[in-house]
């Protein structure tokens, strides 16, 4: 078996494993939706506090 044939065989085998490994799409969609929901809920509850923390952090960086 020549080196070219071995490389070609290895490449084909790798491409087949990539094609078979598509992942769990519904699971990732659920994780994404839940994360967006949590961020929205935290934002609604703590908007003023988060804004205050961000403003204090930015002012402490910009002024010594």
């Amino acid at each position: 078996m020549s080196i070219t044939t071995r490389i070609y065989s290895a490449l084909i085998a790798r491409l087949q494993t990539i094609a078979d490994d598509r992942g769990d799409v519904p699971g990732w969609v659920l994780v994404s939706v839940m994360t967006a929901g949590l961020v929205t809920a935290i934002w609604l509850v703590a908007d003023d506090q988060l804004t205050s923390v961000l403003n204090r952090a930015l002012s402490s960086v910009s002024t010594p």
Side-chain angles (χ1 to χ4, degrees):
M1 185 181 273
S2 71
I3 187 76
T4 307
T5 306
R6 279 189 261 168
I7 292 173
Y8 181 71
S9 297
L11 181 62
I12 294 298
R14 180 67 183 137
L15 288 174
Q16 286 174 342
T17 59
I18 290 172
D20 292 340
D21 187 25
R22 291 194 262 190
D24 182 18
V25 174
W28 283 108
V29 170
L30 181 63
V31 167
S32 300
V33 169
M34 289 177 65
T35 302
L38 285 172
V39 168
T40 303
I42 292 170
W43 193 328
L44 289 174
V45 170
D47 185 30
D48 294 333
Q49 293 86 358
L50 291 172
T51 303
S52 172
V53 167
L54 179 62
N55 286 334
R56 279 185 282 155
L58 291 175
S59 67
S60 71
V61 170
S62 60
T63 57

